[in-house]
DNA sequence: TCCAATACCTCCAAAGACTAGAGCATTTTA
DNA sequence: TAAAATGCTCTAGTCTTTGGAGGTATTGGA
């Protein structure tokens, strides 16, 4: 039942203190309890919530997408019809990201390999990322 | 040898016109030629460049990371030592992203499945994204 | 060829997501 | 219990992107 100060939360999740307060302001984080002196004290669950937000942001999800993740997570018992489309949308998005990243991984690995051999890579990072559909189908 | 106006580029790459001008301002895009009247005219290569920027941004890469991709791509013949660390750093980053996204994919798929069966998912989207190392090792 | 309609130009401002600092209060720890 | 560390609010700034105002180019018909 330990409680965390905002600074401890910040260190644990690698999120700057003002950013945590900002997330509270835009209602991504529930307002935590306060000490008699007015300082924030977070329950352990806030740690998980915040680090999920940080990772999702890092992966390129918008604040709104994260809001949807949170809503989905908070209402696993909600009518399926409501969740179905949102889930599917995000799943498609995630699959696309994975594909692009895997293509990028291939290219970066190839660059490293040709480096190993002292050879010059015909660098295709840009082409891989530019995603004319060849990239998806021809690799 | 066709040339594109900024509007055509915008449509093709799904990047807003002011955003294209902004990318030029911060030197992510080379300043294109101009007509006698002062309007921008882009070579076909700009199309590829811009769409790579758009995709990389979408995947969550920072402007600086993209600058590095461009630099790497522009100098495939540069000394390997210079590129090696940068490449490896990005490769690690890409691998981490892929892992996180795959975990997320698993969870979203599970949600959809339990929806199919009219059952209630024990939704773990948040936990998956919060990435205490269990997620990497226990799945 | 001329003339709307459309697209473009620059410049300025604002929105979204943070980040930093000033000035003061609370907590911790030596 | 006093000094150091951390926290509070509020304001202002950055970065990336988007929108609008006011004016100029380009273009597709008549």
């Amino acid at each position: 039942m330990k409680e965390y100060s905002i600074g401890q939360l910040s260190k644990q999740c690698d999120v700057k203190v003002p950013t945590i307060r900002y997330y509270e302001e835009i209602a991504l984080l529930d307002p935590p309890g306060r000490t008699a002196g007015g300082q924030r004290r977070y329950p352990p669950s806030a740690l998980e919530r915040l680090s999920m937000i940080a990772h999702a942001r890092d992966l390129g999800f918008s604040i709104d997408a994260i809001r949807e993740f949170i809503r989905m997570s908070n209402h696993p018992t909600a009518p399926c019809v409501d969740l179905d489309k949102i889930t599917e949308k995000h799943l498609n998005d995630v699959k696309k990201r994975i594909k692009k990243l895997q293509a990028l991984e291939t290219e970066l690995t190839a660059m490293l390999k040709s480096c190993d051999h002292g050879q010059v890579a015909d660098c295709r990072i840009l082409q891989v990322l530019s995603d004319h559909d060849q990239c998806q189908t021809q690799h």
Side-chain angles (χ1 to χ4, degrees), chain A residues 50 59 96:
Chain A
L50 179 56
L59 287 171
K96 269 187 213 150

Side-chain angles (χ1 to χ4, degrees), chain A residues 29 34 92 106:
Chain A
L29 289 178
R34 301 274 184 142
N92 277 336
T106 303

